[in-house]
Amino acid sequence: MKIPLTALLLLCACAAAQEPSAVAVRNARIVTVSGPVIDKGTVVLRRGLIEAVGANVAVPPDAMVVEGEGLIVYPGLIDGLSTWGMPGAAATTTAGRGGRGQTTPTPSAPAMPAATSTRARGPEDRPATTSWLKAADEISPTDRRIETARSAGFTTAVTFPTSGIFAGQGAVIDLLSGHKPGEMVVASPAGQYISLSRGGGFGGGMGGSFPGSVMGAIAYIRQIYLDAAHYQLVKEAYARDPRGMTRPEYDRALEGVLESKQILLPANRLVEIDRMLRFAAELKQRAILYGARESYRPEAADLLKKAAAPVLVSLHWPEAPRDANPEDVESLRTLETRDQAASAPALLKKAGVLFALYSDGLDQPHDLQRAVKKAIDAGLAREDALRALTLSPAEIYGVADRLGSIEKGKIANLVVTKGELFDDQTKVQFIFVDGRKYTPAAETPATGGRGPVTEGPGVNQ
Amino acid sequence: MTKLKICRRDRSLTVAARNRRQSRDPQGAVGALLLAASIAIAPLSAQTTVIRNATIMTVTKGTLKGSIVVKDGKIAEVGEKVMEPAGAKVIDAGGQYVIPGIIDCHSHIAVDGSVNEGSVSVSSMVDIKDVINPEDIAIFRALAGGVTTANILHGSANAIGGQTLVLKMRWGKDAQGLIFEGAMPGIKFALGENPKRAGNPQGGRGATVVAEARYPATRMGIEDTIRQAFNEAKAYKAEWDTYNAKVAGGEHLIPPRKDLKLEPLKEILEGKRYIHAHCYRADEILMLIRVADDYGFKIRTFQHVLEGYKVAKEIAAHGAGASTFSDWFNFKVEAIDAIPYNAAIMQKYGVVVSMNSDDAELMRHLNTEAGKAMRYGGVSETEALAMVTLNPAKQLGIDNRVGSIETGKDADLVIYDKYPLSDFAKVQKVLIDGNLYFDRDQDVTGRAARQAEKQKLLDKEKQNQQRQQPPRRPGA
Amino acid sequence: MKSLAILMGCAVAAWAASNDTFVIRNADVYPVTGAEMKGVSVLVQDGKIADIGAKIVAPKGMRVVDAKGLRVYPGMIDSGTELGLEEITSVRESVDTGELGEFMPQLRALVAVNPGSEHFGVVRVNGITSVMTFPSTGGRGGGGRFGGGEQQLISGQAALIHTDGWTWEDMAVERTAAMHLLFPSIAGRGGRGGSPIPDSVLELISGTAGASYTQARRTYEQQIAKLNDFFDQAHQYQKERAAHAPGFKTDLKMEAMIPVLDGKVPMAVSAGRASAIHDAIAFADKQNIKIVLLQPRELGKAAAELKAKNIPVILGRVLALPETEDDAYDQAFTLPVEAYKAGVKFAFGTFDNEFVRNLPFEAATAVAFGLPYDEALKAVTINPAQIWGVGNELGSVEKGKWADLVIATGDLLEIQTGIKHLYIKGKEVELTNKQTRLYEKYMAR
């Protein structure tokens, strides 16, 4: 994104204000996540990193002091699967209502190169594939949601391109404002985002573009991995000795796939969780399942545990439709899911499954807070909720050595609150991202939970 | 394979309780009770059962009045008098009838998403196995209609469609648990109006809105599409055969690229995959037989095959089975010569004929569809019953396991309250692998409880909604 | 010359006399309105049932049909078809139901009946002698299932016809047996007959921003208002007509409404859900008209109302899937016994040309799930006859009624039973059709 230099400077001027050499938040309650709670202590930040944290840490003479009396310091929250910072319209949700179908977000992201404008006639046309796309290359620092996310206490997002079957590779980014995109990137790539929905309507894509069905998408993915393995073989052989050998065609789709060390697969219903775990095993790929709407079911936790597969649980809990025909009684299945969905995190924790929570289209601080609170009310311990938004996502994406807790040497991402995080009345006072201090934006009126924007009927039928 | 805990619970609980999706009340006393119950009662392996004093229609060994002993999931004994093992569960079937579990040779239930990959004319790379949904209520409803095994097929949007598989209606198991172990994998072909519909966007039923017409648009093109695909498959197979031979000879080579579209076709050429071909008109049936002859493969079954009676001779000579239905005609042009005597005529010419449903509703009364073969064309009672039991079993290559009531076969059994080939009869109980998967009485008595459970959730939700939206105050 | 003429005259007279005059001997007669009679005779004279009994003396030379070991039943009546109006479902050119237009009471299904339709021969083989044929059995107007056109409310006049005849005039039993009203409905989920769209997907759709319930409700009420307006217009027209108002012009739509307003022609109302049924009953009350309810999805609370107002019901397909995922698997199978227990008079309709010949099997399924056998038999014979106003002419084997009869090899509702003879107004109709001919042809290949 090209930003006029003056605007950039202006932005820097407003957003980050001064840039002190060090900051010390003192006399605050500090929840480190990695260790016991410090009832009264000090955190010192320098050069964007945590220099010291403890009950008896001295305030360096050159540090800007932030009075933490009566406040609580937490590690900055991490959105485990996000589109914050990506260009294009606001994301749609992955979970869908009642967890139906293999729904995935396909935001209207015109910036993304469409896989094919002409009809794909099969896997060889690489439909809906931009596997080489890297979120780190596409960051839009002026995305308004960055600011609102910070106001909700988020300092980091693992953000992905989400359009298509192989949508591209994500990146762990810090939610800075007024900085170059490159400065926001903490780690890249962070995994390949895969979705199964290609649309095609009820006719199974009659005459439309391949694939037109869920099974078509699965077959396509399977073929891609076969092709990638073959491509690798051929490339290696050619590299060893090209003489006399036809050179392999450069295939950026396969390059992108081979680059990805792990994949994200959609799975909301138990049936899908089962299906995707087996699929990942077949593809011999490390997989992270996302959505997890029915992960409250004991069988789901069981499967995840056995597969040692981490899971990203959508915070977009299913809601009752607001304007429904009273004669249309929903199915027991739907009612159960709505009733039980928010208890999933607590049950996953009990089962010992590694999971993180993610925003899934929720942007407003109020909505995010309420969603986490709902999980807490349904049985998730507060510290586990916190972990699911800090150290757990950091572990899942392999950046736990840098993020996710308040420890010396880690990146200085903190959220300071008045009141316990996730409580209704709690106010976020400051947010530190890479050591830079931000204050929350004025709160926009609560939308009361924007209804999930599901895809049209073509979801995956 | 991971068995869902749920199946464990289910067998211990009333089957009726399984029908409803069990309410996860992990904190509640109910959950604890259920868990305790599940541990206490029968292990996963089938319980020894005796079905006593029924009229048993074995299909292969006549009809007798007697009992059946089921042990370890198999039929252990059938006879007028049997040795009832001690501790066996007894099902008193006095005055009732037992037939082998019904096998539906053409079904699209239990599939997530579209059953069609209609974007391309050859979609052999897709596999229905990837999208099996074990929680589809249609499975339960099929059970309630006496179906124990179903051939789950890809749709008919393509000349060469996707891969198919056979499932048992083991309601409550996970996707893997439904699979009929060892059944030969299949693939769907389709001829006639359906696969050419996307080639004719202007005309025809349900004028599909397509950006571009998809070849083929005529029956001629359908033949061409199939021939082209097998042409490619032959070359593909040759490539792999050469490679395999060389590797066997000690060479180190990069293998050819594995093409998921051509793999199943290669398997067809090698006789390792059954073809189930949806067809209507006599000319297209003959066309496919000749294509198969040219490429050296066999059609396993012709499906629907409504004009099969016109070319019954050729079908029999080829050795294909025919799976049809009696009633549907005139719903599209290629069905105008459909006659209910189709089954009877084809059978007379020596074709192995089965009746199928291709419909989640019809699936529930295949017993009466069999009865219709008696009315239209005078097929005998045994032959008619075979059309929904032994014949589809033969067609699917699973007749060593199912399709008749004989010792050694799977204990897939259906108990009817009255003579089964009649609309006056209804299914009372269904066993699969010796396990009771459907019990009408339990289902009926469980309804009130299920409704109450649902009402509880509805009430709870209503309360929540009221709490969240307090009545509007003026000026608020 | 004269003797030849007389001879020919006698021959003609004899032939004419035997055409719809004959006697059936040794039959087991199932009158439906009375107890069975075993081994009796039935005398048919000039197309009417003249006598039934053990000892019937027939004039010498009268044609005798020996029915030893066979049964005589009234011919069956299907109360919901499009026979003659739809040949091949997928070919619009062959389908004449679903005209364009919101209020089309002047349309007559009868005149569009094609007596040459293959369907008639097919249904006769299974013992169906009369059907109600509807100008639209549901769905939007202007092409019905083919789309296009607005929501149709009054689709025209349904006719009760015999399943055989040279012309539609010939076939007509009751030219205007009912006026068909498609009562407005609020789109909901579910739907009988095995929708290919699973609930899980429908739930997704119904929740989208598309049509909200409030909006749908408003539209629904607007349509009912329109309906009432139309009736008001009809009343006004009737008034002006009676008063020979100056400048009065004949309006065919309004003319068609008069018999409905006068209670001479019932309104056959398609209404699915309990709330719509309730509203339809209220509408009928308000307009003071007679109605017959078609294809209710459910009865529930509406049953008591229907009974109280003596509104008969035509039940749709018994062999149908439940409405929603949680419904009992036998929901559709038990709707008939539910109606029976509520004291509601009902008949069966198959509402799909292909399945008209399965009418007896639909009835039998209802018996399997609780409906007393006699009620099932009545629901395909005397009940529809009475509901459609021809209870004195058809529907049972009784003296004075038309000889619409079948001679069957066994229980009329049983699958293995064959129909040996079929008579419409005493004239035997050959039980051959295109399908039997193809059968013969290819058996001989």
Side-chain angles (χ1 to χ4, degrees):
Chain A
M1 267 243 168
K2 287 217 179 288
I3 307 163
L5 192 59
T6 38
L8 192 63
L9 288 172
L10 224 54
L11 233 55
C12 292
C14 304
Q18 76 279 38
E19 289 222 23
S21 54
V23 177
V25 181
R26 74 169 169 198
N27 292 333
R29 183 149 166 264
I30 305 171
V31 182
T32 62
V33 173
S34 53
V37 173
I38 301 168
D39 287 324
K40 208 183 185 84
T42 301
V43 192
V44 178
L45 319 175
R46 190 186 293 279
R47 282 189 359 255
L49 300 173
I50 297 169
E51 189 175 69
V53 56
N56 302 308
V57 162
V59 173
D62 65 328
M64 177 183 89
V65 173
V66 174
E67 290 301 338
E69 190 76 47
L71 302 179
I72 312 177
V73 182
Y74 299 92
L77 302 180
I78 303 173
D79 185 10
L81 170 54
S82 195
T83 56
W84 296 335
M86 297 308 287
T92 54
T93 154
T94 59
R97 297 192 55 239
R100 285 282 85 96
Q102 301 262 193
T103 54
T104 54
T106 51
S108 51
M112 301 299 174
T116 38
S117 43
T118 53
R119 213 178 75 207
R121 280 146 213 276
E124 59 282 358
D125 286 344
R126 308 284 186 243
T129 297
T130 46
S131 55
W132 58 87
L133 208 63
K134 292 205 182 59
D137 297 335
E138 306 287 324
I139 295 175
S140 168
T142 51
D143 184 348
R144 285 233 177 83
R145 296 172 296 164
I146 292 175
E147 206 183 340
T148 43
R150 274 202 310 262
S151 307
F154 285 84
T155 57
T156 312
V158 189
T159 199
F160 287 85
T162 51
S163 174
I165 298 175
F166 285 94
Q169 301 168 55
V172 181
I173 64 170
D174 271 354
L175 301 175
L176 294 168
S177 288
H179 288 264
K180 292 208 297 254
E183 293 180 281
M184 295 163 74
V185 178
V186 174
S188 171
Q192 178 79 223
Y193 184 91
I194 295 179
S195 78
L196 292 180
S197 180
R198 185 55 180 80
F202 293 102
M206 280 292 271
S209 191
F210 177 85
S213 63
V214 176
M215 57 184 178
I218 292 175
Y220 172 59
I221 297 167
R222 186 178 279 133
Q223 183 70 66
I224 283 280
Y225 276 94
L226 285 170
D227 288 352
H230 191 255
Y231 182 76
Q232 181 96 313
L233 269 178
V234 175
K235 260 183 34 170
E236 283 167 3
Y238 192 78
R240 276 196 301 273
D241 185 6
R243 274 178 293 203
M245 198 177 149
T246 316
R247 70 173 183 281
E249 210 178 275
Y250 179 79
D251 189 328
R252 61 177 174 171
L254 299 181
E255 296 281 348
V257 163
L258 286 167
E259 250 189 312
S260 309
K261 297 292 168 279
Q262 62 190 10
I263 56 177
L264 275 69
L265 291 170
N268 273 311
R269 298 148 56 214
L270 172 60
V271 170
E272 294 164 351
I273 293 172
D274 183 31
R275 181 182 297 151
M276 287 295 103
L277 286 174
R278 274 188 281 117
F279 192 43
E282 181 199 326
L283 299 176
K284 297 201 184 51
Q285 297 289 316
R286 176 171 188 256
I288 306 165
L289 302 191
Y290 65 88
R293 170 67 72 242
E294 283 190 7
S295 54
Y296 61 86
R297 295 173 65 177
E299 302 90 341
D302 225 32
L303 290 169
L304 290 163
K305 187 82 213 244
K306 284 208 177 71
V311 66
L312 304 169
V313 181
S314 162
L315 277 170
H316 210 144
W317 310 118
E319 280 162 20
R322 254 161 294 135
D323 192 8
N325 187 340
E327 268 189 309
D328 273 337
V329 179
E330 290 172 288
S331 68
L332 179 57
R333 196 195 293 259
T334 305
L335 293 170
E336 258 177 21
T337 301
R338 275 214 294 267
D339 186 46
Q340 309 273 346
S343 66
L347 293 168
L348 288 172
K349 168 75 179 97
K350 204 151 99 182
V353 174
L354 176 59
F355 72 95
L357 299 170
Y358 73 100
S359 58
D360 196 10
L362 297 176
D363 297 333
Q364 298 305 318
H366 181 76
D367 296 335
L368 287 159
Q369 172 267 316
R370 271 189 349 137
V372 180
K373 183 76 169 33
K374 190 162 183 194
I376 294 173
D377 290 341
L380 182 65
R382 195 182 291 275
E383 59 264 23
D384 295 326
L386 181 63
R387 197 189 201 285
L389 286 162
T390 51
L391 200 51
S392 291
E395 286 169 353
I396 290 173
Y397 291 100
V399 291
D401 49 1
R402 283 156 271 181
L403 288 174
S405 58
I406 307 180
E407 291 180 73
K408 179 181 159 130
K410 285 199 172 178
I411 294 170
N413 287 355
L414 307 170
V415 54
V416 183
T417 58
K418 191 179 185 111
E420 295 243 26
L421 197 54
F422 310 129
D423 274 352
D424 292 331
Q425 304 308 319
T426 297
K427 292 253 176 308
V428 171
Q429 301 290 113
F430 318 108
I431 312 103
F432 290 90
V433 183
D434 281 327
R436 288 162 181 102
K437 179 159 160 284
Y438 295 92
T439 45
E443 171 103 20
T444 50
T447 58
R450 189 188 330 133
V453 182
T454 56
E455 298 178 293
V459 166
N460 61 326
Q461 310 310 92
Chain B
M1 278 301 140
T2 315
K3 284 205 162 60
L4 289 182
K5 261 213 199 102
I6 204 164
C7 95
R8 213 195 180 121
R9 281 190 187 196
D10 298 339
R11 208 161 308 105
S12 63
L13 293 174
T14 62
V15 176
R18 175 60 199 108
N19 298 343
R20 66 184 172 87
R21 297 281 329 290
Q22 283 168 14
S23 144
R24 300 283 159 258
D25 185 17
Q27 263 87 13
V30 180
L33 198 70
L34 295 177
L35 203 57
S38 77
I39 297 167
I41 304 186
L44 276 166
S45 61
Q47 160 147 59
T48 302
T49 310
V50 175
I51 301 174
R52 213 191 257 166
N53 289 339
T55 303
I56 304 167
M57 303 173 77
T58 66
V59 177
T60 44
K61 302 212 158 73
T63 299
L64 66 139
K65 234 187 159 73
S67 304
I68 303 172
V69 178
V70 169
K71 215 151 96 170
D72 297 326
K74 303 277 187 199
I75 299 169
E77 201 184 334
V78 186
E80 279 174 33
K81 287 210 169 339
V82 298
M83 268 279 293
E84 288 192 13
K89 175 167 97 160
V90 174
I91 297 178
D92 182 4
Q96 300 185 326
Y97 291 73
V98 184
I99 64 168
I102 293 176
I103 299 169
D104 188 355
C105 207
H106 191 125
S107 182
H108 300 297
I109 65 169
V111 171
D112 259 351
S114 176
V115 298
N116 274 311
E117 177 50 62
S119 58
V120 290
S121 269
V122 179
S123 64
S124 40
M125 75 290 279
V126 310
D127 191 349
I128 282 273
K129 188 155 89 160
D130 286 330
V131 287
I132 293 297
N133 174 13
E135 295 182 353
D136 185 357
I137 193 72
I139 298 173
F140 173 73
R141 292 173 181 168
L143 258 183
V147 175
T148 53
T149 298
N151 191 21
I152 308 299
L153 298 178
H154 184 278
S156 53
N158 327 67
I160 295 180
Q163 299 162 50
T164 67
L165 85 168
V166 182
L167 298 181
K168 281 209 185 186
M169 306 283 95
R170 298 177 182 126
W171 181 239
K173 297 222 170 200
D174 64 1
Q176 292 296 104
L178 293 179
I179 297 177
F180 194 118
E181 319 77 355
M184 179 85 108
I187 187 169
K188 177 79 178 291
F189 281 23
L191 312 175
E193 287 177 29
N194 290 13
K196 66 177 175 120
R197 190 163 300 132
N200 295 289
Q202 287 352 301
R205 170 155 77 121
T208 354
V209 177
V210 292
E212 244 170 82
R214 180 197 75 169
Y215 180 79
T218 68
R219 284 182 163 86
M220 308 181 295
I222 291 178
E223 188 200 24
D224 179 48
T225 302
I226 298 173
R227 284 188 183 274
Q228 300 273 10
F230 276 97
N231 223 32
E232 249 188 283
K234 264 176 78 173
Y236 178 77
K237 177 170 155 61
E239 214 186 331
W240 274 93
D241 286 346
T242 310
Y243 166 77
N244 284 329
K246 291 203 174 132
V247 163
E251 290 185 48
H252 291 290
L253 294 167
I254 299 173
R257 178 180 159 269
K258 198 156 192 200
D259 186 324
L260 293 176
K261 183 182 83 171
L262 299 173
E263 278 292 319
L265 303 184
K266 175 164 161 290
E267 286 168 356
I268 290 171
L269 293 170
E270 292 165 354
K272 296 190 187 136
R273 189 173 283 274
Y274 287 155
I275 297 175
H276 301 294
H278 152 126
C279 57
Y280 283 78
R281 283 233 308 253
D283 49 285
E284 63 205 17
I285 297 168
L286 187 60
M287 176 277 286
L288 192 61
I289 291 175
R290 297 300 172 235
V291 170
D293 289 343
D294 285 349
Y295 283 92
F297 61 83
K298 288 271 177 229
I299 309 297
R300 186 73 184 179
T301 67
F302 284 105
Q303 298 278 333
H304 309 331
V305 63
L306 297 190
E307 285 191 10
Y309 64 93
K310 296 184 180 177
V311 283
K313 219 192 272 185
E314 286 79 0
I315 296 174
H318 183 76
S323 193
T324 187
F325 33 55
S326 51
D327 280 329
W328 298 28
F329 75 104
N330 266 29
F331 56 105
K332 40 184 175 160
V333 179
E334 58 191 1
I336 57 178
D337 274 6
I339 63 176
Y341 313 92
N342 194 22
I345 298 176
M346 289 195 290
Q347 203 200 227
K348 179 194 157 214
Y349 279 88
V351 178
V352 175
V353 178
S354 68
M355 299 291 236
N356 69 47
S357 73
D358 192 13
D359 177 62
E361 204 299 303
L362 190 59
M363 194 173 191
R364 315 196 292 157
H365 43 99
L366 283 170
N367 58 322
T368 57
E369 291 307 292
K372 286 177 183 162
M374 294 167 71
R375 183 197 191 102
Y376 302 113
V379 169
S380 78
E381 179 191 272
T382 307
E383 286 169 337
L385 184 56
M387 284 180 179
V388 293
T389 53
L390 189 60
N391 288 2
K394 286 184 178 156
Q395 292 172 345
L396 296 173
I398 52 179
D399 54 309
N400 57 326
R401 296 236 337 238
V402 291
S404 58
I405 303 182
E406 297 181 65
T407 53
K409 285 204 172 177
D410 294 358
D412 292 0
L413 303 161
V414 187
I415 304 176
Y416 282 85
D417 61 348
K418 299 207 171 78
Y419 176 67
L421 297 175
S422 161
D423 270 308
F424 292 115
K426 57 182 180 292
V427 175
Q428 287 296 131
K429 292 187 171 65
V430 179
L431 285 89
I432 300 179
D433 305 321
N435 296 317
L436 189 64
Y437 275 90
F438 174 75
D439 184 329
R440 175 171 162 82
D441 293 335
Q442 285 194 339
D443 176 73
V444 170
T445 50
R447 285 175 194 175
R450 290 201 290 281
Q451 187 48 41
E453 191 188 326
K454 193 166 175 179
Q455 194 55 48
K456 235 172 55 185
L457 284 175
L458 285 167
D459 292 339
K460 185 174 174 188
E461 216 163 63
K462 207 169 195 178
Q463 280 177 1
N464 285 343
Q465 276 184 342
Q466 283 168 354
R467 223 183 302 134
Q468 273 166 22
Q469 280 155 26
R472 280 211 212 99
R473 300 187 305 278
Chain C
M1 244 314 124
K2 205 157 148 207
S3 52
L4 190 63
I6 295 171
L7 204 66
M8 281 186 67
C10 288
V12 168
W15 175 85
S18 72
N19 197 287
D20 56 2
T21 297
F22 58 94
V23 62
I24 306 171
R25 294 269 187 226
N26 304 319
D28 294 339
V29 174
Y30 290 76
V32 174
T33 45
E36 324 55 286
M37 299 174 258
K38 306 266 178 158
V40 297
S41 300
V42 181
L43 177 63
V44 174
Q45 216 147 35
D46 301 321
K48 292 216 177 139
I49 301 168
D51 201 3
I52 314 160
K55 296 186 189 340
I56 293 183
V57 180
K60 204 149 103 178
M62 178 173 280
R63 184 159 58 92
V64 174
V65 178
D66 184 15
K68 189 147 180 82
L70 302 174
R71 305 189 187 191
V72 174
Y73 287 94
M76 289 187 279
I77 304 173
D78 188 326
S79 296
T81 78
E82 296 173 357
L83 285 192
L85 296 166
E86 181 201 89
E87 198 58 28
I88 300 172
T89 316
S90 71
V91 180
R92 179 52 177 157
E93 291 83 354
S94 76
V95 176
D96 281 307
T97 50
E99 181 56 85
L100 296 156
E102 212 179 7
F103 293 100
M104 305 297 283
Q106 76 281 19
L107 299 180
R108 303 196 290 153
L110 181 65
V111 307
V113 167
N114 175 10
S117 164
E118 292 296 346
H119 286 283
F120 290 118
V122 166
V123 309
R124 283 197 305 262
V125 165
N126 280 17
I128 290 130
T129 50
S130 315
V131 299
M132 279 290 282
T133 192
F134 283 83
S136 166
T137 47
R140 307 188 87 77
R145 66 181 72 80
F146 297 96
E150 56 195 338
Q151 177 69 52
Q152 188 170 67
L153 287 170
I154 297 182
S155 56
Q157 302 161 35
L160 182 65
I161 57 173
H162 276 131
T163 53
D164 183 55
W166 294 103
T167 64
W168 51 255
E169 252 173 358
D170 223 16
M171 295 167 84
V173 175
E174 193 62 70
R175 290 169 175 235
T176 300
M179 181 73 70
H180 191 200
L181 166 64
L182 295 151
F183 202 76
S185 64
I186 304 175
R189 274 182 302 111
R192 286 257 164 78
S195 158
I197 305 171
D199 265 6
S200 52
V201 182
L202 289 174
E203 278 169 18
L204 259 175
I205 307 171
S206 65
T208 55
S212 69
Y213 171 66
T214 322
Q215 219 173 308
R217 174 99 214 161
R218 207 177 304 136
T219 312
Y220 171 75
E221 281 161 9
Q222 278 168 4
Q223 294 212 294
I224 296 181
K226 259 199 218 177
L227 194 53
N228 278 303
D229 282 346
F230 185 75
F231 268 73
D232 289 343
Q233 280 172 49
H235 277 293
Q236 178 59 23
Y237 176 86
Q238 193 178 29
K239 215 196 300 183
E240 289 174 11
R241 185 181 192 270
H244 302 289
F248 174 81
K249 279 209 260 293
T250 307
D251 179 325
L252 295 180
K253 283 196 196 189
M254 298 285 118
E255 287 291 326
M257 290 301 293
I258 292 178
V260 176
L261 301 178
D262 288 343
K264 296 210 180 75
V265 168
M267 205 121 207
V269 182
S270 294
R273 316 193 80 163
S275 60
I277 297 171
H278 172 80
D279 290 344
I281 296 173
F283 166 77
D285 270 352
K286 180 178 163 137
Q287 296 295 345
N288 196 22
I289 55 169
K290 279 192 5 216
I291 63 169
V292 176
L293 181 64
L294 300 181
Q295 286 187 290
R297 258 171 72 154
E298 53 192 352
L299 285 176
K301 301 195 196 104
E305 251 190 300
L306 292 164
K307 162 94 178 109
K309 309 244 183 261
N310 283 326
I311 296 171
V313 174
I314 308 300
L315 295 174
R317 294 267 291 282
V318 177
L319 292 166
L321 286 172
E323 295 290 332
T324 66
E325 188 180 341
D326 294 332
D327 288 324
Y329 78 90
D330 56 4
Q331 184 191 49
F333 306 154
T334 52
L335 197 57
V337 65
E338 195 186 324
Y340 165 68
K341 286 201 183 130
V344 173
K345 186 179 191 137
F346 66 91
F348 288 116
T350 50
F351 294 95
D352 200 325
N353 284 1
E354 283 171 77
F355 300 112
V356 174
R357 67 173 155 192
N358 290 344
L359 181 67
F361 315 143
E362 304 270 335
T365 304
V367 174
F369 286 86
L371 185 67
Y373 178 88
D374 289 339
E375 293 302 316
L377 189 57
K378 275 161 66 182
V380 296
T381 51
I382 190 63
N383 283 3
Q386 289 171 339
I387 291 171
W388 303 118
V390 290
N392 293 330
E393 288 85 5
L394 294 177
S396 58
V397 188
E398 286 182 83
K399 251 162 73 164
K401 288 201 170 178
W402 291 351
D404 280 8
L405 303 169
V406 295
I407 303 184
T409 59
D411 184 337
L412 187 64
L413 305 185
E414 186 56 276
I415 291 182
Q416 289 81 357
T417 299
I419 308 292
K420 281 269 178 285
H421 302 276
L422 182 132
Y423 304 91
I424 291 179
K425 276 173 139 175
K427 292 207 185 75
E428 178 155 17
V429 185
E430 261 198 58
L431 290 168
T432 55
N433 57 38
K434 174 183 179 182
Q435 296 176 351
T436 60
R437 288 191 287 275
L438 282 168
Y439 170 66
E440 301 296 338
K441 176 174 173 183
Y442 282 92
M443 278 300 263
R445 184 182 168 203

